[in-house]
Amino acid sequence: MNTTAAAASSTAPSLTLPKLLVGQKALVTGANSGIGRAVALALGEAGADVAVNYVQGDEAANDVVAAIRAHGVDAIACKADVSDEDQVANMFGEMIERFGTLDILVANAGLQRDAPFHAMTLAQWHTVLSVNLTGQFLCAREAVREFVRRGVVSQISCAAGKIICMSSVHQEIPWAGHANYATSKGGIKLLMESLAQELAPQRIRVNAIAPGAIRTPINTTAWNTPEAYKSLMTLVPYGRIGEPEDIARAAVWLASDLSDYVVGTTLFVDGGMTLYPGFATGG
Ligand code: NAD
C-alpha cells in the first residue's frame, strides 16, 4: 500500500443525512441486519416513516425500529418471509394500514447457499432463487399496486413511487461456486429493467443498487481475518471494504427527488470492483 492509501480512511465517512424524504413511507425488506438495517436507518434519518421487514430475529428488528423512531419518525417491524405470497400481501396490508400508503420499497432481503455446481442441491437452488428473485417480484408487485392506486402526490414526491432492488456486482461478474446467487442477481437486473420500462409512464421509478464487498454477516469470512481482508483488497481498487452506510446513502439518493430522472439504472457502489482490477498492473 502506498503512503496516500495508508493515510486514507479504511472505513466510510461519518455524515449527517439531509431530510430528503419527509412525509414519505418506506418498506425495507431484510432490514434487521447488514445493508437493509443501514438503509432503514438512513431512510428514517432522511425523514421517512419506515416498515422494517425481517424473517427471524425479533429483537434485532425491534432495535432497528427503536433507532429509527429516535429520528422523530414512525417505524414498525413486519415479520414476513418475502418468498411467501400470502405473507408478503399481509405485510403490505399491515404497513399501509399503519402508514396510509407506500412511497418507497427497498427490496433488499437476500441470502447465499453456496456449493460447487456438481454438489448444489435443488433445495439450495430453490432457496436462493425464491428469496432473492421471487421475493423481489412479490414485493415489487404489491408496491406497484399501491403506487398505481394512489398516483403522484406532488407535495410528497415527483414520482408515484420508487423501487430500489438490491442487486450485486454479481449481476455482471460471474461467480464460481455461487451459481444460484449469481443467477438470482442476473435475474434481478432484467426484472428491474423490465419493470422500469413498463412503469415509467406511470411515474414509477425502478432502479437497482449493485453493492461490491460490504462488511455484513453474509460474507464474514471474506473480511474477518487480516489475510482474508488483504486478499479481498486485491479486488477493490479503492482500498477499503464497503460499509452498509455506503449503500444506505445511495438508497436515500435513489429514493429522493434528487434522482428524479434516474430510471432503470443500476448504481454500482463497489469501490471499483467492476473495473477489472486485475488489469491495473498489466493486461
Ligand atoms: P445479511 O445477511 O446481513 O442480511 C440479509 C437480510 O435478509 C437479513 O435481515 C435476513 O433476515 C433477510 N432475509 C433472508 N431471508 C429472508 C426472507 N425469506 N424474508 C425476509 N427477509 C429475509 O446480508 P446483507 O449483506 O446485508 O445482504 C443484503 C442484500 O445485499 C442481499 O440481497 C445481498 O445479496 C446484497 N448484497 C450484499 C453484499 C455484501 O457484500 N454484503 C454484496 C452485494 C449484494
Side-chain angles (χ1 to χ4, degrees):
M1 190 183 278
N2 64 33
T3 41
T4 316
S9 173
S10 61
T11 189
S14 176
L15 300 167
T16 303
L17 294 171
K19 301 281 180 198
L20 294 169
L21 304 175
V22 172
Q24 301 206 40
K25 317 294 179 189
L27 189 151
V28 183
T29 67
N32 67 346
S33 175
I35 290 171
R37 177 181 182 279
V39 169
L41 290 168
L43 296 180
E45 185 182 350
D49 295 331
V50 185
V52 174
N53 162 257
Y54 68 106
V55 71
Q56 56 186 25
D58 299 342
E59 202 179 323
N62 290 334
D63 287 350
V64 178
V65 166
I68 294 171
R69 286 186 182 158
H71 290 295
V73 295
D74 199 4
I76 52 169
C78 295
K79 189 170 191 167
D81 178 344
V82 296
S83 68
D84 183 295
E85 188 172 22
D86 291 339
Q87 290 186 36
V88 169
N90 289 339
M91 170 173 71
F92 277 80
E94 184 188 329
M95 184 273 175
I96 289 168
E97 191 177 306
R98 168 71 171 249
F99 291 160
T101 190
L102 173 76
D103 303 284
I104 300 159
L105 166 66
V106 183
N108 164 81
L111 44 70
Q112 292 179 212
R113 293 289 182 271
D114 308 328
F117 188 66
H118 68 274
M120 187 173 286
T121 64
L122 187 58
Q124 288 172 318
W125 174 267
H126 277 318
T127 299
V128 171
L129 270 292
S130 299
V131 174
N132 295 15
L133 187 55
T134 306
Q136 295 227 359
F137 158 69
L138 291 171
C139 292
R141 192 179 59 173
E142 294 298 328
V144 167
R145 287 173 175 165
E146 174 61 12
F147 298 159
V148 170
R149 183 200 65 77
R150 192 204 56 236
V152 175
V153 179
S154 54
Q155 303 92 313
I156 295 293
S157 174
C158 307
K162 283 87 54 161
I163 296 176
I164 299 165
C165 301
M166 201 58 68
S167 185
S168 164
V169 291
H170 295 295
Q171 73 169 37
E172 296 291 336
I173 304 175
W175 203 13
H178 308 258
N180 47 1
Y181 184 83
T183 302
S184 74
K185 296 301 182 179
I188 287 170
K189 174 180 189 286
L190 273 171
L191 173 66
M192 180 280 286
E193 291 173 0
S194 301
L195 293 187
Q197 187 191 59
E198 183 171 330
L199 299 166
Q202 294 167 84
R203 285 293 169 93
I204 295 168
R205 293 196 298 113
V206 188
N207 292 287
I209 296 173
I214 311 299
R215 194 196 310 264
T216 77
I218 209 173
N219 59 358
T220 311
T221 54
W223 51 259
N224 73 345
T225 64
E227 299 74 33
Y229 191 89
K230 192 169 169 226
S231 165
L232 181 64
M233 285 310 104
T234 64
L235 301 174
V236 185
Y238 204 58
R240 71 164 171 86
I241 193 168
E243 303 294 342
E245 291 72 24
D246 289 306
I247 306 303
R249 289 163 192 159
V252 168
W253 179 73
L254 275 177
S256 79
D257 283 350
L258 285 182
S259 62
D260 187 52
Y261 208 51
V262 179
V263 174
T265 289
T266 298
L267 180 53
F268 286 81
V269 183
D270 67 354
M273 188 178 253
T274 38
L275 297 175
Y276 298 95
F279 281 79
T281 52

